[in-house]
Amino acid sequence: MLPAGAAVARVNRRNSRHGSTTELAKAMKGKPKKLGREKDLTRRFVAGELDEDLIDPVQRFTTRSKYHQQTKTLRTALMRAEEQADLSDLHTLPIGQVVQVYSLYCDVEHEGQTWLCVVRKTLAQVLKGDIVVGDEVRFRDLGTVNESGRPEGVIEQVLPRRTVLTRADSFKQLEAHPIVANAEQMLIVASLREPDVKWGLVDRMIVAAQAGKLEPIVCLNKIDLARDSASGQGGAAANQLEEDQQWLFAQEALRHYSSLGIRTLQTSVPRGVGLEELREVLRGRTTVLAGHSGVGKSSLIRALEPTLDIRIGAISGYTGKGRHTTTSARRYALSFGGYVIDTPGVKLFGLWGLSEQNLLEYFPDVSGGSAPPWRQASYQRILQSLATGQAAGE
């Protein structure tokens, strides 16, 4: 049994709690009850049981919801087109070329006009990989336009690719990860100085181009820097000697490439050297630009096409993120004929389809015993990278 004092205390605590509960109930009495959440509002609205005037007509529309609404609108159009699809007319649909790929859409150009397209869901399920810049596609005009007045469409078919370039990160993958399709040639730009040319990287890009069935073209840019130093404007005698040796080695390398049937150019934007030859190389063809940042790819293109700035490009107007948006391939038209495709987010191209067994086919000078030491070293680095799955940069 509890002591008398403890029992009294226990009774007092019970009465105190009961009193608090009673007082709270009295305080709440007379207040309106909070209405429960309507659980079947949609059903009642569809059934006509609700007055539309009682529903808030104001749509809360933020920047984020605006993008979501645009996405939803195009997806709705795609769903309707999916329901009404009749692919019996597939062969009559227009053929366009993909000039830019976004996360959900593609820009498809046809006869000078650009459509904002989505890929038909049933097509996406059977595609082996993603649609990439340069793909030729059959598309259906939806008869609608987006908020910018651009026509919208649905990609119904991707035509077979004639050439393809892949990312270096697909090196040891079971499937290729293409980034550019149907280009004809690759312009591999290297600078003699600032930054110094890396011949091993040039060799790798040559192999990547040839493996993708593109014609490689090696362009040595900024040759005015070497000639300035050779004429006595470059500092100490030791530095001049090193730079002169660098220039002589570059000339030897270009001669060796020429002996392998690889076209070479030498250019200088400040002095206008080689620009007309470059223009003829690009005219009427689709060319992928390749090379490290700082070698002068943008400067070369602007020298030929002053209104074109491939460092940012028209994509910035679509996403509003400027320079940081150009991390995927994009195709640009040249006024004198032809296109250039810039791949600023890709430092190295993959060597899809190559193995330790067939690499020698891309080094005929090594197999023929005429390769200089630097070419033999390039072959060994790439061979090792194929064996280990790590990209060989230099």
Side-chain angles (χ1 to χ4, degrees), residues 189-190 219-225 265-278 295-296 300:
V189 182
C219 176
L220 183 65
N221 194 29
K222 300 185 182 182
I223 60 173
D224 54 289
L225 298 181
L265 302 170
Q266 298 187 59
T267 56
S268 167
V269 172
R271 296 193 176 184
V273 176
L275 298 183
E276 286 307 311
E277 185 180 3
L278 176 60
V295 297
L300 284 171

Side-chain angles (χ1 to χ4, degrees), residues 306-320:
T307 60
L308 182 61
D309 188 352
I310 65 173
R311 293 177 302 172
I312 299 178
I315 184 177
S316 59
Y318 183 83
T319 64

